[in-house]
Amino acid sequence: MTIKHVLDPKRFLHIGIVVKDIAKATKDYSELWGLGEWTPFEYGAEGEQIGTGVPFYLKLAVNAAGPIAIELIEPVGCPDSIWQKFLDENGEGIHHFAYRVDDIEKTIAELVEKGGELLWNIHLAPGMNYCYVKAASGLIVELVDFDVPL
């Protein structure tokens, strides 16, 4: 009997880590893993872009620890966001594993059918969508459905 896998390990993108202070975290993780410069950026969304969730603003930094991409996330002034709630309830730590998918709606449906729960989704522009689904195992998975390098 074959088990149908929803997520393709070959399409793994990154590990998302929620932090309190992005400047401190980039320094600490650089020292821990011997990493070079981080790529920082900031963004937020509100209104019609958000399918499930609340308006948010984030500071982010990305880097690679060997073959694994790391995304650090600092929520800024968004107390009801999924990231701030995670930080308040769990402290700093791994928030999600991200995967590229070809059909985000189909993948959401498959994960929900297997006992998962859609936590958050956003539509940045036509063809640029991503979301968080809490899998039945409790792991938060970010699904990315666009072709922008991450």
Side-chain angles (χ1 to χ4, degrees), residues 1-7 9 114:
M1 183 165 124
T2 304
I3 297 173
K4 181 180 177 224
H5 297 283
V6 177
L7 301 172
K114 292 179 180 289

Side-chain angles (χ1 to χ4, degrees), residues 2-79:
T2 304
I3 297 173
K4 181 180 177 224
H5 297 283
V6 177
L7 301 172
D8 182 349
K10 295 178 190 137
R11 300 189 83 192
F12 175 79
L13 294 172
H14 67 261
I15 296 172
I17 301 172
V18 174
V19 300
K20 294 177 185 174
D21 180 335
I22 202 103
K24 180 180 182 317
T26 55
K27 181 179 180 292
D28 291 348
Y29 281 107
S30 290
E31 290 175 3
L32 177 66
W33 289 320
L35 302 177
E37 291 296 314
W38 290 78
T39 302
F41 57 101
E42 298 181 16
Y43 85 104
E46 59 187 14
E48 293 180 6
Q49 291 180 316
I50 299 171
T52 302
V54 297
F56 65 91
Y57 189 78
L58 305 171
K59 291 183 181 180
L60 299 114
V62 294
N63 207 331
I68 305 296
I70 306 295
E71 174 188 61
L72 301 179
I73 307 162
E74 177 190 344
V76 179
C78 46

Side-chain angles (χ1 to χ4, degrees), residues 97-113:
F97 289 78
Y99 291 84
R100 188 176 304 282
V101 298
D102 293 324
D103 184 336
I104 199 166
E105 296 301 328
K106 178 182 174 192
T107 308
I108 290 168
E110 289 174 346
L111 287 168
V112 168
E113 181 181 307

